[in-house]
Amino acid sequence: PPIYKRLNLHDHIMSRSEVYIGGVRQIIEDDMFVFASTGKIESKSIKYTPGFIKIFDEILVNAIDHSVKDKSVSYIKISIDKEKGFISVHNDGSGIAIEKSEEYGVYNPELIFGNLLTSSNYDDTQERITGGLNGLGSKLTNIFSKKFIVETCDGKLEYKQIFEDNMKSKSEPTLKPGKKPFTKITFWPDFQKLDMNCID
């Protein structure tokens, strides 16, 4: 076999995940501040996978960034279903414009969540008060998920698209008339790749 290999970016992310999302092996015991079952934030010794925390953080940062840019955002709702193994982050506000990019030939939501190295933050002359810099962010969550669903409405059209198998396959987007703007991301983390059995 050849000594030297060249990987595409997707395969590099999968094989060298620590570079992109941090460790993908559980840290056996570490003291962390956590929201405990008592309803309070407490210091506890826990086991966790840093990469799992990172892929959740990427989606949450997207919603928070949207609330900074769009003052009509009144809520960000996080749902965690331990039994079914998924997490969703839902916010109101203006939603994502359901338009097809002339340059790339795909709708904006697919460009944002399903194409590596896409970002609205590449203009370094602008003052930045939000996250996101390298065009990876939420795509890393998609890559480390068995299933990843994008739903959004821009006040005229409602859009839904499903990615599966670590962003290797995707459905055609479905569009229907919609009035109330929102954006919702639902993802099923790939526990096997994150040294986990479930959301614990």
Side-chain angles (χ1 to χ4, degrees), residues 56 77-81 86-90 184-186 199:
F56 169 70
K77 180 182 177 183
I78 300 162
S79 302
I80 300 171
D81 191 316
F86 71 79
I87 297 169
S88 74
V89 178
H90 180 269
K184 181 179 179 183
I185 302 298
T186 307
I199 300 172

Side-chain angles (χ1 to χ4, degrees), residues 84-141:
K84 295 180 181 173
F86 71 79
I87 297 169
S88 74
V89 178
H90 180 269
N91 62 268
D92 62 350
S94 59
I96 299 167
I98 313 301
E99 298 167 351
K100 214 168 203 181
S101 163
E102 288 182 23
E103 187 173 354
Y104 303 108
V106 297
Y107 285 99
N108 287 332
E110 181 177 339
L111 191 63
I112 294 167
F113 295 102
N115 287 262
L116 290 163
L117 305 180
T118 56
S119 176
S120 62
N121 293 326
Y122 283 147
D123 185 352
D124 291 333
T125 64
Q126 301 255 334
E127 182 182 2
R128 188 174 293 112
I129 57 169
T130 57
L133 178 62
N134 302 308
L136 294 171
S138 57
K139 278 77 76 170
L140 296 173
T141 307

Side-chain angles (χ1 to χ4, degrees), residues 32-44:
M32 299 284 287
F33 283 99
V34 298
F35 187 78
S37 56
T38 60
K40 296 179 180 178
I41 294 176
E42 300 174 0
S43 177
K44 293 183 102 176

Side-chain angles (χ1 to χ4, degrees), residues 111-185:
L111 191 63
I112 294 167
F113 295 102
N115 287 262
L116 290 163
L117 305 180
T118 56
S119 176
S120 62
N121 293 326
Y122 283 147
D123 185 352
D124 291 333
T125 64
Q126 301 255 334
E127 182 182 2
R128 188 174 293 112
I129 57 169
T130 57
L133 178 62
N134 302 308
L136 294 171
S138 57
K139 278 77 76 170
L140 296 173
T141 307
N142 196 343
I143 287 174
F144 286 94
S145 295
K146 288 281 192 184
K147 187 175 181 181
F148 182 100
I149 301 175
V150 179
E151 296 172 273
T152 190
C153 178
D154 63 3
K156 295 176 280 185
L157 287 172
E158 195 170 311
Y159 178 103
K160 181 176 181 179
Q161 188 169 28
I162 301 169
F163 295 84
E164 293 183 281
D165 192 25
N166 309 106
M167 206 174 84
K168 289 180 186 167
S169 67
K170 64 186 176 193
S171 70
E172 287 297 318
T174 58
L175 294 101
K176 64 182 183 182
K179 290 185 179 177
K180 191 173 181 182
F182 74 94
T183 300
K184 181 179 179 183
I185 302 298

